[in-house]
């Protein structure tokens, strides 16, 4: 299966859940209210900051298993996998308990919550802590599927469970207005996903927990790679979400909720691009195992082209049509409050999304240490830019400060481009592509500024803009499909 097909299968569940989630945002906001919506999103943000909970072991095990599969040594692959399970299960259990305790004790001090909502905040952290174990251990098995290049099964499973999760969460939010109940429901679905992935791995790949294959020598061998990955995850997850973590303390709950709505949309975009990281990681790991490091540039270029045009479209479209989008999505009043924040946050996440291509190759190329330095640089920039932005222009300044901090990930892209002798950002044809999209978007922007366009017509023009560019981006695939149809 090609990288494009693997990515599309990997992206399918994220696309479904992103669309469903974005459509459901105004409903969650209405059912929970501004403060409880902010509380719910804050707990999710802190949970995301614990993205280092497995200490980088999942990525390390995936890398070593993928390399051994590339070499054709199944016994060695099972040895690394069993060793990872021996370490991961107690480790994740400890981290989940620690998260629940830390959140329940310190959460009321970190988040600007009213006294009446403190018990709700504590219960939400406990529910999220329980779900953390199953979510992270499920991701462990998801990585196993990725290095087996089994993206189709994972996609179908996640699409099914994602629809159930969001649909059930809406019902729970409507009836209970309780964020902790939403987090408990998410935990239940994480358990179901874990069971499905484990049963499939045992039946399809012949991989179980494999404790008997665990070897101390494998643990020692993976330790250095794991430590560098852990430090990268620690810096990336803690400092990468610093804008939201800081605003939880600095901003009123209503302002935080407005920022959270834009961040939610941006995270969904970044999540869609992250779907390409699995195929890149799996293919690059196997290429390294088979002695094919030279294929890294070809993998990078194919992946870059696959997402670049779409991210440019999202960026331009969100700038030109932000007023129309938000009024249609959130309503006139809430949309007006969110509008100043949307464009800089979406642009920031689009830059982060492009950097996922280079980030996915750092592990297989054994450059995790370099990635750690870049992520530290990014974290420092986030801290500085959030502080300066807040002092300069409040919550709007934070949004633009977060955008400026993405410079660090452009540095990462340029490093990998030079390392593997790829083109990436340095390809002039891609800048021509940007210029064409900006010019096309500029025509619509000029129309909106110089003519009084009714709202219904604005929606039609926005669809025309997006549809025309989307058709241009898939023109080659459409041509192939038409030729095949005629034959």
């Amino acid at each position: 299966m090609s990288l494009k097909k693997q990515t599309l299968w990997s992206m399918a569940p994220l696309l479904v859940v992103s669309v469903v989630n974005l459509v459901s945002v105004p409903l969650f906001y209405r059912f929970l209210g501004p403060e409880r919506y902010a509380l719910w999103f804050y707990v999710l943000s802190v949970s995301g900051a614990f993205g280092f909970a497995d200490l980088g072991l999942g990525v390390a095990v995936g890398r070593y298993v993928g390399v051994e599969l590339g070499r054709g040594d199944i016994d060695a692959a099972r040895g690394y996998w069993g060793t990872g399970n021996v370490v991961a299960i107690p480790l994740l259990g400890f981290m989940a308990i620690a998260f629940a305790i830390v959140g329940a004790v310190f959460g009321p001090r970190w988040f600007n919550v009213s006294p009446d909502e403190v018990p709700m905040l504590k219960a939400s952290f406990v529910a999220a802590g329980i779900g953390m174990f199953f979510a992270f251990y499920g991701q462990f098995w998801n990585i196993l599927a990725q290095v087996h290049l089994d993206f189709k099964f994972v996609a179908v499973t996640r699409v099914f469970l994602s629809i159930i999760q969001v649909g059930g969460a809406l019902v729970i939010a409507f009836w209970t207005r309780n964020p902790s109940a939403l987090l408990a429901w998410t935990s239940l679905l994480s358990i179901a996903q874990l069971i499905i992935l484990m049963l499939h791995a045992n039946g399809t790949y012949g991989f179980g927990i494999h404790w008997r294959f665990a070897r101390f020598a494998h643990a020692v061998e993976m330790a250095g790679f794991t430590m560098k990955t852990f430090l990268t995850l620690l810096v990336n997850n803690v400092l990468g979400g610093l804008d939201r973590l800081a605003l939880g303390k600095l901003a009123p709950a209503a302002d935080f909720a407005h920022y959270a709505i834009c961040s939610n949309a941006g995270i969904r975009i970044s999540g869609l691009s992250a779907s390409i990281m699995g195929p890149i990681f799996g293919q690059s790991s196997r290429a390294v195992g088979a002695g094919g490091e030279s294929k890294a540039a070809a993998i990078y270029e194919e992946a870059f082209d696959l997402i670049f045009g779409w991210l440019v479209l999202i960026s331009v479209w969100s700038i030109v049509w932000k007023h129309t989008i938000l009024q249609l999505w959130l309503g006139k009043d809430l949309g007006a409050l969110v509008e100043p924040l949307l464009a800089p946050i979406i642009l920031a996440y689009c830059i982060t999304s492009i950097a996922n291509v280079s980030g996915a190759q750092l592990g297989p190329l054994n450059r995790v240490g370099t990635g750690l330095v870049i992520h530290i640089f990014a974290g420092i920039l986030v801290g500085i830019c959030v502080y300066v932005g807040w002092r300069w222009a409040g919550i709007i300044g934070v949004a633009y400060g977060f955008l400026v901090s993405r410079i660090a990930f452009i540095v990462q892209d340029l490093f990998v481009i030079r390392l593997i002798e790829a083109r990436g950002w340095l390809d002039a044809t891609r800048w021509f592509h940007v210029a064409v999209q900006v010019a096309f978007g500029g025509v619509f922007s000029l129309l909106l500024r110089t003519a009084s366009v009714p709202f219904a017509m604005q929606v039609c023009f926005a669809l025309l803009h997006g549809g025309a560019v989307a058709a241009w981006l898939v023109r080659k695939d459409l041509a192939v499909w038409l030729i095949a149809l005629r034959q």
Side-chain angles (χ1 to χ4, degrees):
M1 186 183 292
S2 67
L3 177 67
K4 179 180 289 188
K5 289 183 178 180
Q6 291 171 7
T7 300
L8 292 176
W9 278 114
S10 181
M11 186 180 292
L14 295 172
L15 181 61
V16 171
V17 74
S18 294
V19 172
V20 174
N21 182 275
L22 291 176
V23 170
S24 65
V25 163
L27 295 175
F28 280 120
Y29 187 88
R30 184 185 308 166
F31 295 157
L32 296 176
E35 185 170 11
R36 288 194 172 184
Y37 181 87
L39 185 155
W40 177 45
F41 198 84
Y42 183 77
V43 173
L44 292 175
S45 297
V46 177
S47 179
F50 265 69
F52 59 86
D54 70 343
L55 305 188
L57 185 62
V59 175
V61 171
R63 192 261 180 186
Y64 281 89
V65 170
V67 169
E68 295 304 331
L69 290 175
R71 292 173 178 165
D73 192 340
I74 304 299
D75 289 338
R78 286 175 175 157
Y80 288 111
W81 175 248
T83 304
N85 276 287
V86 167
V87 179
I89 292 176
L91 170 65
L92 290 175
F94 171 79
M95 294 299 288
I97 293 172
F99 172 83
I101 293 174
V102 170
V105 173
F106 296 101
R109 303 180 189 178
W110 296 338
F111 182 62
N112 192 10
V113 64
S114 63
D116 292 342
E117 298 294 343
V118 169
M120 181 72 69
L121 180 63
K122 292 182 177 180
S124 297
F125 272 110
V126 172
I130 294 172
M132 176 178 289
F133 173 84
F134 296 103
F136 275 93
Y137 192 49
Q139 181 62 21
F140 204 76
W141 288 81
N142 186 52
I143 290 174
L144 179 66
Q146 290 177 351
V147 295
H148 279 89
L149 308 182
D150 191 6
F151 295 96
K152 183 176 180 179
F153 174 81
V154 173
V156 173
T157 301
R158 293 182 67 186
V159 165
F160 176 72
L161 292 177
S162 295
I163 293 174
I164 293 177
Q165 190 271 326
V166 176
L170 279 172
V171 173
I172 293 170
F174 175 76
W175 284 107
T176 69
R177 306 185 187 279
N178 188 327
S180 64
L182 295 180
L183 293 163
W185 169 248
T186 301
S187 300
L188 181 62
L189 269 295
S190 296
I191 295 172
Q193 178 175 277
L194 172 61
I195 293 173
I196 292 171
L197 289 172
M198 291 179 70
L199 292 174
H200 181 73
N202 187 60
T204 305
Y205 326 132
F207 273 69
I209 295 180
H210 287 332
W211 281 342
R212 68 184 185 278
F213 291 105
R215 298 291 183 271
F216 181 74
H218 289 328
V220 173
E221 185 179 358
M222 291 188 292
F225 188 94
T226 301
M227 181 56 65
K228 289 185 288 187
T229 304
F230 160 64
L231 292 174
T232 301
L233 290 172
L234 177 64
V235 171
N236 186 36
N237 286 280
V238 175
L239 297 183
L242 189 60
D243 57 325
R244 284 160 281 145
L245 297 178
L247 280 178
K249 183 65 176 177
L250 296 172
D255 284 348
F256 180 85
H258 302 154
Y259 192 94
I261 289 172
C262 295
S263 293
N264 191 357
I267 289 169
R268 296 299 166 183
I269 294 169
S270 183
L272 285 172
S273 78
S275 63
I276 203 171
M277 297 180 74
I280 294 173
F281 182 86
Q283 289 208 13
S284 296
S285 295
R286 287 189 169 221
V288 171
E293 290 89 344
S294 60
K295 294 182 180 179
I299 294 172
Y300 181 90
E301 291 298 324
E302 183 180 358
F304 196 98
D305 281 333
L306 192 58
I307 67 171
F308 180 73
W310 295 99
L311 292 171
V312 174
L313 170 59
I314 291 171
S315 300
V316 174
W317 203 68
S318 67
I319 294 172
V320 175
W321 302 106
K322 60 182 178 181
H323 178 76
T324 307
I325 295 167
L326 291 173
Q327 188 172 343
L328 184 65
W329 179 30
L330 302 175
K332 185 177 181 180
D333 295 335
L334 181 57
L337 294 171
V338 171
E339 185 174 340
L341 306 173
L342 183 69
I345 292 177
I346 295 300
L347 284 170
Y349 277 103
C350 284
I351 294 172
T352 305
S353 298
I354 293 175
N356 285 335
V357 177
S358 59
Q361 287 194 312
L362 290 173
L365 295 171
N366 202 20
R367 294 285 183 162
V368 177
T370 303
L372 172 60
V373 174
I374 292 172
H375 280 83
I376 291 174
F377 175 49
I380 293 172
L381 272 182
V382 170
I384 294 173
C385 293
V386 164
Y387 175 77
V388 173
W390 178 259
R391 294 293 299 270
W392 167 54
I395 194 169
I396 297 175
V398 171
Y400 280 96
F402 183 64
L403 171 60
V404 172
S405 73
R406 302 299 88 182
I407 293 173
F409 291 108
I410 296 177
V411 172
Q412 174 183 286
D413 289 340
L414 296 176
F415 169 79
V416 173
I417 288 168
R418 182 175 181 182
L419 176 68
I420 62 178
E421 299 181 357
R423 298 188 307 276
W425 288 103
L426 305 180
D427 191 334
T429 59
R430 290 181 177 130
W431 286 105
F432 175 74
H433 176 110
V434 173
V436 170
Q437 285 220 41
V438 169
F440 191 58
V443 172
F444 287 99
S445 180
L446 183 63
L447 175 65
L448 291 175
R449 290 176 180 272
T450 57
S452 178
V453 182
F455 180 73
M457 189 61 68
Q458 291 180 31
V459 174
C460 293
F461 282 151
L463 293 175
L464 175 62
H465 178 189
V469 177
W472 181 47
L473 292 173
V474 299
R475 63 193 184 280
K476 293 181 181 179
D477 293 317
L478 285 175
V480 172
W481 179 77
L482 289 173
I483 292 173
L485 188 64
R486 290 173 181 174
Q487 294 177 347

